[in-house]
Amino acid sequence: MDARDTELKKELDATLQARRELGEEYDSALVDSFLEKVEQRIDGAVDRRVRRHLAEQQMVVARDSRSPRPTDSWGERFGFGIVSLVLAVPLSAIGGGVANLPGLLVAWAGIVGVNVFQASRVNPGLFGGRRTSGQDGDWED
């Protein structure tokens, strides 16, 4: 038996003893007083559970914010695309001028390969990999 249960049992015994001494005319006041004490106990238990749950949620958020993640900003993607297009022009000219069509194809295969690698690094589930939602249900006990 929990210490809080023994305290509640003592409160109930005291309420019943007071009823015997005071008589039936004080029943409603005694019951109201006892129920108020029970309600305070319940409120305290609920408050403790809510505080514990919030602390657990804050720990999860703190752990997630510390874990390293690749950046996925719009500016980085846009900048990488611009640089790829700017470098594609001279690479195409060099590849096409030196080895004609096969050189041009090799240059563009390299450009596409670098862009695919960058896209898969920034978005891990983009090309058929496992996607993680990162959202857990609330209030799991």
Side-chain angles (χ1 to χ4, degrees):
M1 186 175 271
D2 194 2
R4 289 177 284 202
D5 291 340
T6 57
E7 289 178 27
L8 197 59
K9 187 175 184 325
K10 287 179 184 177
E11 292 288 337
L12 179 59
D13 290 339
T15 302
L16 292 174
Q17 182 65 29
R19 182 189 181 271
R20 284 187 210 112
E21 292 175 8
L22 296 175
E24 292 183 15
E25 60 269 6
Y26 291 100
D27 276 355
S28 64
L30 291 171
V31 168
D32 288 343
S33 172
F34 179 73
L35 289 178
E36 186 176 319
K37 291 174 186 174
V38 170
E39 184 178 337
Q40 289 173 352
R41 293 277 165 84
I42 291 172
D43 287 345
V46 169
D47 286 344
R48 283 189 299 278
R49 285 183 183 170
V50 167
R51 275 189 253 121
R52 186 188 79 224
H53 182 72
L54 289 175
E56 289 171 357
Q57 290 291 342
Q58 289 173 347
M59 291 295 291
V60 167
V61 168
R63 277 189 228 123
D64 286 347
S65 67
R66 285 188 308 202
S67 64
R69 290 189 176 145
T71 58
D72 187 18
S73 67
W74 181 83
E76 180 182 347
R77 290 180 297 191
F78 184 73
F80 196 82
I82 294 292
V83 169
S84 293
L85 288 175
V86 167
L87 292 177
V89 174
L91 289 175
S92 298
I94 293 169
V98 172
N100 294 328
L101 183 61
L104 184 65
L105 292 177
V106 168
W108 274 97
I111 293 167
V112 169
V114 167
N115 280 285
V116 166
F117 175 77
Q118 173 68 8
S120 66
R121 185 185 69 82
V122 173
N123 300 315
L126 186 62
F127 297 109
R130 196 181 110 202
R131 292 180 187 238
T132 57
S133 67
Q135 294 179 348
D136 295 332
D138 288 342
W139 300 98
E140 294 174 0
D141 278 330

